[in-house]
Amino acid sequence: MMDNAIEVKGLRKNYKGFSLRNVSFVLPQGTIMGLVGPNGAGKTTIIKLILNLVRKSGGEIRVFGLDHLHNEAEIKSRIGFVHESPAYIEDATLNDLKAAIAPFYGKWNESLFRSLLAEFELPADKKFKKLSHGMKMKFQIALALSHDADLLIMDEPTSGLDPVFRRELLERLSALMQDERKSVLFSTHITSDLERTADYITFVHEGEIVLSKSRDEIKETWAVVKGPVEQLTGERRILLKGIRTTAFGFEGLTGDIPAARRAFGSAAVIDRASIEDIMIFMDRGNNHA
Amino acid sequence: MKIIISNSSPDPIYEQINRQLKAQIISGDLAEGDALPSIRKLAQELQISVITTKRAYDELEREGFINTVGSKGSFVAVQNQELLREKKMKLVEEKLAAAVAEARLMGIGLDHLQETLRLLYQEYE
């Protein structure tokens, strides 16, 4: 039986004007999960709650099977956290920061850290504030990998990175996954990052989980239906989400391909949906249904 | 072992892997007892999910093409000759069926088709 790296059950967080409602999902050990959704959907809030950087209003979070509040110290020593805007002392050099951070981790690997800095072309004597956004990301990734984290949690790690390094990062993640005790949770709005590598995809929309399934299952369940507008009768319409019509035709998302095939027959084209399609159509569907 | 994944193919990735490995086992390019890469290694090389590679291997195992031995990994299974012949025959039937479907679409009659098949068969003698 596979253990779970993260289990979230009925998680709630109330802010003024925004609330996270009944968030539940499971990240099995040895797998990569992408957290996707439009900006402001609640992805960062979920990550902050798991790390107890903000206090939850209710619900349960277990990391490595342990309660995230009672075992916070142990859990955190096994997590590598990479975030969009790291709050490090701006005037410190990378070496200073490493010297301050490394002692917190029992499994610090100095030679790995050195070789990652070289590989990522990060000069150890450079001040943190002098780094570009991409370099700040690389530095955090180097830190996370150097303490042999069992769980990498990354908040928008690929935003602001060029396609070449994004691909490099994804390759590094799949290399990490050769060890089946490692797990990764990362949020992104760049859905192409998830198209192949992610094992599980969790869609967040307006503070709720719309979908949390394996990538394969999602790809096999969802499709985009396209056809001439006059074919879009009332009973066919209910099969589709986020319908968009133009002068030339309609398109809509379906989560039941066999039913759509039966209903539309040859009257419409049924295409496989990309992760981006699903995100956009669901967003549209929820707003204008 | 060769695997090419197409992102534009309508077939799911696990099926693409499954089909290509099967073809290589039937053709003998992958021989009995040959070791396959682990599901994690294959996922890394192809840049796909481990769930996908696991599913491809699970199906190949169910169909009797490979064996998975605990922690040692997966190997091409000893092929029952009769079964192998049956599988090859099935492959031939599938291809013929595709040709028949195409012919029907073009309105080509059975006589014409049989004649074409006969000529092709002789050509390969």
Side-chain angles (χ1 to χ4, degrees):
Chain A
M1 190 59 205
M2 217 192 295
D3 290 328
N4 293 323
I6 303 179
E7 285 167 60
V8 174
K9 227 183 282 168
L11 181 64
R12 287 183 291 114
K13 174 71 188 174
N14 302 317
Y15 284 116
K16 208 182 270 174
F18 175 78
S19 57
L20 208 59
R21 293 178 303 279
N22 196 27
V23 165
S24 303
F25 66 88
V26 168
L27 168 63
Q29 197 179 47
T31 64
I32 303 178
M33 177 183 280
L35 211 50
V36 282
N39 290 328
K43 303 188 293 287
T44 300
T45 306
I46 292 173
I47 286 177
K48 283 184 173 163
L49 286 165
I50 293 171
L51 294 166
N52 197 29
L53 299 175
V54 293
R55 203 168 285 278
K56 65 185 176 191
S57 308
E60 196 188 333
I61 301 174
R62 303 186 80 80
V63 184
F64 310 124
L66 305 168
D67 182 88
H68 80 133
L69 297 181
H70 292 133
N71 306 82
E72 191 174 346
E74 187 198 332
I75 288 170
K76 282 194 173 164
S77 73
R78 294 170 63 193
I79 290 181
F81 181 36
V82 174
H83 47 142
E84 227 181 341
S85 39
Y88 290 135
I89 305 158
E90 294 283 313
D91 270 317
T93 66
L94 301 190
N95 236 340
D96 297 341
L97 289 171
K98 188 266 307 182
I101 292 163
F104 286 101
Y105 299 105
K107 289 196 278 180
W108 183 260
N109 183 336
E110 183 68 22
S111 63
L112 177 61
F113 178 72
R114 294 273 147 217
S115 71
L116 286 171
L117 282 195
E119 188 185 328
F120 293 167
E121 295 174 353
L122 297 168
D125 53 0
K126 197 154 181 154
K127 285 188 177 170
F128 186 71
K129 67 177 175 191
K130 298 278 188 196
L131 300 185
S132 68
H133 177 71
M135 289 168 94
K136 286 182 181 173
M137 285 294 156
K138 291 182 188 183
F139 177 59
Q140 293 186 80
I141 291 163
L143 285 176
L145 295 177
S146 300
H147 73 79
D148 195 23
D150 290 326
L151 171 62
L152 275 187
I153 297 186
M154 307 197 282
D155 194 10
E156 299 280 350
T158 52
S159 74
L161 297 180
D162 63 72
V164 176
F165 185 69
R166 263 186 21 229
R167 181 56 72 93
E168 250 176 73
L169 171 63
L170 295 176
E171 277 172 12
R172 196 159 270 290
L173 287 187
S174 30
L176 186 73
M177 301 315 289
Q178 294 307 302
D179 182 343
E180 53 200 61
R181 288 161 308 177
K182 309 278 183 195
S183 316
V184 176
L185 174 69
F186 76 103
S187 72
T188 184
H189 58 260
I190 305 172
T191 51
S192 62
D193 290 346
L194 304 166
E195 212 49 76
R196 292 175 78 163
T197 329
D199 300 307
Y200 293 93
I201 295 172
T202 298
F203 282 91
V204 192
H205 189 264
E206 289 176 358
E208 284 180 278
I209 303 280
V210 202
L211 192 62
S212 183
K213 290 255 164 65
S214 79
R215 190 206 69 102
D216 284 9
E217 206 175 321
I218 290 174
K219 297 288 277 186
E220 279 163 36
T221 319
W222 298 87
V224 177
V225 182
K226 298 172 192 169
V229 180
E230 63 269 19
Q231 298 291 346
L232 196 59
T233 55
E235 57 199 53
R236 286 172 171 174
R237 196 174 263 277
I238 53 171
L239 289 169
L240 303 179
K241 264 180 195 283
I243 296 171
R244 189 176 80 107
T245 55
T246 68
F248 309 107
F250 75 87
E251 53 176 23
L253 184 74
T254 178
D256 189 344
I257 298 174
R261 210 159 260 151
R262 277 195 304 276
F264 284 94
S266 58
V269 180
I270 299 181
D271 271 350
R272 269 211 287 174
S274 66
I275 305 297
E276 182 165 312
D277 287 333
I278 298 172
M279 185 165 121
I280 289 168
F281 279 94
M282 282 203 169
D283 188 40
R284 213 192 270 151
N286 285 0
N287 287 333
H288 313 291
Chain B
M1 179 170 148
K2 298 181 210 78
I3 299 176
I4 310 288
I5 301 291
S6 160
N7 282 333
S8 52
S9 160
D11 300 328
I13 295 175
Y14 80 90
E15 228 173 84
Q16 296 183 36
I17 298 174
N18 182 298
R19 194 162 1 91
Q20 293 177 38
L21 287 184
K22 234 190 263 179
Q24 288 169 49
I25 293 171
I26 291 176
S27 71
D29 287 343
L30 284 174
E32 288 174 14
D34 278 359
L36 300 176
S38 74
I39 56 165
R40 284 180 185 271
K41 193 74 208 160
L42 188 64
Q44 180 190 3
E45 296 291 330
L46 298 174
Q47 289 283 296
I48 56 175
S49 158
V50 290
I51 297 177
T52 309
T53 51
K54 183 166 188 316
R55 183 162 172 196
Y57 278 18
D58 283 350
E59 296 221 342
L60 285 170
E61 179 152 25
R62 203 167 328 125
E63 293 167 312
F65 284 95
I66 65 171
N67 288 326
T68 300
V69 190
S71 56
K72 283 200 180 131
S74 302
F75 301 88
V76 176
V78 175
Q79 300 293 317
N80 175 327
Q81 288 310 312
E82 203 150 313
L83 201 66
L84 198 63
R85 201 186 144 71
E86 226 170 84
K87 282 171 187 163
K88 283 186 180 170
M89 193 55 217
K90 202 166 160 244
L91 217 64
V92 172
E93 276 171 22
E94 273 171 23
K95 299 217 159 151
L96 281 176
V100 167
E102 200 70 22
R104 275 183 179 272
L105 216 60
M106 312 252 308
I108 298 169
L110 179 61
D111 289 350
H112 189 169
L113 201 61
Q114 276 173 331
E115 181 56 22
T116 311
L117 181 62
R118 202 174 56 79
L119 287 173
L120 280 173
Y121 196 86
Q122 284 166 352
E123 231 173 81
Y124 279 92
E125 241 168 357

